[in-house]
Amino acid sequence: MRTLLRAGNRPTFGYRHVVALIGFLSCFLINIQRMSLGVSIVAMVNQTKTDHLADYNSTIKVCPMSNSTKFYMKQNVQGEFSWSTQQQGYVLGAGFLGFCIATLPTSKLAKVFQARRMVLYASILTSLATLMSPFAARWHVNLMIGAQFVRGLGQVSII
């Protein structure tokens, strides 16, 4: 890749900028993949079949400028999975476990193979694991845990 030149023949956009941009986008991808499951598991799980907060179906909102209280009934839209809170914890923690386990072996592999290939393959692996997560969740909760574990394994090489 060539550098873009100004009038004074000084480079304005070079390899270091491309590397910094790729590094930023990789870290952004990792954080989005981690965050998306934590947010979406709330809508995925049927809360009435879990062991907490099954009796609450309304909320009270109070306006600080007024003394009136309004009641809003929440919709009873439930997710399709009846996972226990323990299973939800395993699904959420599996990615971090894979990340922790693969840290040292990945650093040794980076010395053997080229770092850019490791980052490329790890990005592909984490993206495939994230794309397979909905299918794994519908099949069985253990496959979802495995998909999240594989996602965590791949995210080590990106950082």
Side-chain angles (χ1 to χ4, degrees):
M1 172 181 239
R2 289 189 217 149
T3 59
L4 300 175
L5 299 177
R6 278 192 230 155
N9 289 336
R10 293 183 1 200
T12 59
F13 191 76
Y15 287 117
R16 63 188 170 124
H17 297 103
V18 173
V19 170
L21 181 66
I22 290 172
F24 168 76
L25 292 175
S26 296
C27 289
F28 180 75
L29 177 69
I30 287 172
N31 287 318
I32 289 297
Q33 288 174 343
R34 286 182 187 168
M35 184 193 70
S36 65
L37 181 64
V39 171
S40 65
I41 199 166
V42 175
M44 291 169 55
V45 175
N46 188 343
Q47 298 297 330
T48 60
K49 293 188 179 181
T50 58
D51 55 356
H52 69 287
L53 299 177
D55 296 330
Y56 298 106
N57 64 355
S58 67
T59 59
I60 299 174
K61 292 191 177 188
V62 178
C63 180
M65 300 300 236
S66 172
N67 290 334
S68 65
T69 304
K70 297 181 181 179
F71 291 92
Y72 295 100
M73 297 298 291
K74 81 174 187 181
Q75 293 179 334
N76 287 328
V77 177
Q78 298 299 325
E80 61 181 291
F81 304 111
S82 59
W83 296 340
S84 68
T85 53
Q86 185 177 11
Q87 289 172 327
Q88 292 176 41
Y90 289 150
V91 168
L92 291 172
F96 295 103
L97 180 65
F99 188 87
C100 290
I101 289 175
T103 302
L104 291 176
T106 304
S107 63
K108 299 294 182 187
L109 287 174
K111 290 180 181 178
V112 175
F113 301 107
Q114 294 178 350
R116 63 181 172 200
R117 287 187 181 165
M118 293 279 295
V119 170
L120 174 68
Y121 297 143
S123 297
I124 292 171
L125 180 67
T126 56
S127 297
L128 287 176
T130 302
L131 288 173
M132 293 304 294
S133 292
F135 304 110
R138 285 188 177 91
W139 190 266
H140 197 271
V141 67
N142 291 338
L143 285 176
M144 180 67 173
I145 292 169
Q148 294 306 308
F149 184 78
V150 169
R151 179 190 52 83
L153 290 176
Q155 286 180 345
V156 173
S157 297
I158 297 173
I159 293 179

